[in-house]
Amino acid sequence: MNRRRRIYEGKGKILYEGPEPGTLVQHFKDDATAFNNKKHEIIDGKGVLNNRISEYIFEHLNTIGIPTHFIRRLNMREQLIREVEIIPLEVVVRNVAAGSLSKRLGIDEGTALPRSIIEFYYKADELDDPMVSEEHVTAFGWATPQEIDDIMSLAIRVNDFLTGLFLGVGIRLVDFKIECGRHWENEMMRIVVADEISPDSCRLWDIETNDKMDKDRFRRDLGGMLEAYQEVARRLGIMNENETVTHSGPRLVQ
Ligand code: TMP
Ligand code: ASP
């Protein structure tokens, strides 16, 4: 598996050189991290679930004409993607107050926001991904004003799609994060959605019970992270009831 050249290793994923120029293989690890790696655990099977959930979402985004880096899933843990130049921003879209917004502004978690809010965070682990404004983004050259417009319009389209998708399966999309990249085709460059969209990068609450079905289960030591991700996959119709995602060996048939 590791004969391929490793291009990059992050907290949750590894990128390998792809089979053709301009492609990469994105490998999903089982590592769960939070608070910039201060909290770290291996959750057996998480990578498999995120690979499948992210595939499902990116496939749909491609289908409705929202450009992404995704080409196709290769196996349980890997997908083939287009090589892009990642814009060093975490683009967060919020529909409901939670997490750092609630903390920073003193708004109760669960309060519906008057409208969707887009925020930018500068991707820099050593700085703990500080929030930045469009002024910082353009002044420091991380993206041009035109690129910011494109990123915001992608973020809104992704939010509209995801909100409906999850609502249809009884899940409230509280907030999520995307990353965008520049993809060149001949002389043309366009901004595409990159990275992943999974319960690691979204807040997903059950419509009826408000149960958390996302990485907050891990961040807040609530337990049942894998089960929650599995339930998201099950509701989306991605995984069969008895499909297994863990490494546990063969089991005796009772
Ligand atoms: P926050 O409330 O902690 O700012 O997070 C907002 C959303 O962005 C939440 O769905 C989690 C996601 N997110 C990431 O995926 N990666 C990150 O590094 C951060 C800070 C947030
Ligand atoms: N940036 C965090 C990390 O260390 C992610 C999070 O808390 O969601 O992985």
Side-chain angles (χ1 to χ4, degrees):
M1 188 187 279
N2 293 326
R3 35 198 159 75
R4 294 164 299 185
R5 197 157 71 87
R6 185 187 307 211
I7 307 282
Y8 170 83
E9 177 153 6
K11 289 182 290 238
K13 293 186 296 292
I14 308 173
L15 295 179
Y16 295 100
E17 197 170 53
E20 291 148 39
T23 65
L24 298 174
V25 172
Q26 174 165 264
H27 177 105
F28 288 74
K29 303 194 286 186
D30 280 338
D31 299 61
T33 67
F35 315 117
N36 202 11
N37 234 356
K38 287 182 203 59
K39 194 172 156 76
H40 182 197
E41 251 175 66
I42 305 292
I43 309 280
D44 199 11
K46 182 179 79 87
V48 174
L49 283 161
N50 281 354
N51 186 25
R52 294 289 285 267
I53 294 170
S54 201
E55 169 200 16
Y56 181 88
I57 291 171
F58 275 80
E59 238 355 312
H60 279 79
L61 294 177
N62 284 343
T63 304
I64 61 173
I66 299 178
T68 80
H69 72 164
F70 181 83
I71 302 175
R72 66 171 184 279
R73 184 166 63 84
L74 296 170
N75 56 50
M76 295 272 277
R77 287 182 182 275
E78 295 180 332
Q79 40 186 252
L80 184 67
I81 59 171
R82 294 185 181 86
E83 185 170 21
V84 301
E85 181 182 271
I86 290 286
I87 293 166
L89 297 174
E90 310 225 333
V91 181
V92 170
V93 182
R94 302 179 185 273
N95 301 305
V96 176
S100 70
L101 178 97
S102 290
K103 205 162 157 194
R104 194 174 340 107
L105 301 181
I107 303 173
D108 285 342
E109 286 209 315
T111 309
L113 297 171
R115 62 178 182 79
S116 302
I117 293 173
I118 303 179
E119 297 170 344
F120 298 114
Y121 294 83
Y122 178 49
K123 267 170 72 77
D125 280 345
E126 66 283 10
L127 302 172
D128 276 342
D129 297 352
M131 184 155 87
V132 293
S133 74
E134 290 183 42
E135 286 283 294
H136 300 104
V137 175
T138 51
F140 296 118
W142 300 322
T144 65
Q146 175 62 52
E147 287 173 336
I148 295 182
D149 281 355
D150 292 350
I151 290 169
M152 291 178 76
S153 109
L154 281 178
I156 291 165
R157 291 170 74 194
V158 172
N159 186 44
D160 288 345
F161 168 72
L162 287 183
T163 299
L165 174 76
F166 283 120
L167 195 58
V169 296
I171 294 174
R172 179 143 76 136
L173 178 67
V174 171
D175 56 32
F176 66 94
K177 183 262 306 186
I178 55 169
E179 293 182 27
C180 297
R182 300 184 183 93
H183 180 246
W184 273 275
E185 221 162 358
N186 307 319
E187 291 304 291
M188 283 281 288
M189 188 279 287
R190 67 172 175 173
I191 306 285
V192 305
V193 182
D195 192 53
E196 70 175 292
I197 301 177
S198 72
D200 268 7
S201 57
C202 301
R203 282 200 175 87
L204 305 170
W205 294 359
D206 182 88
I207 284 282
E208 302 280 327
T209 63
N210 280 334
D211 275 354
K212 298 183 198 311
M213 306 174 73
D214 55 63
K215 197 162 114 178
D216 272 348
R217 301 213 69 86
F218 171 73
R219 293 189 194 96
R220 303 181 186 193
D221 292 319
L222 301 172
M225 183 197 202
L226 196 76
E227 292 74 10
Y229 285 32
Q230 226 150 4
E231 175 63 11
V232 172
R234 192 194 64 76
R235 289 200 198 177
L236 292 173
I238 298 172
M239 300 201 63
N240 298 330
E241 299 287 332
N242 41 23
E243 213 172 322
T244 161
V245 296
T246 59
H247 291 127
S248 38
R251 278 189 213 123
L252 281 178
V253 178
Q254 305 282 320

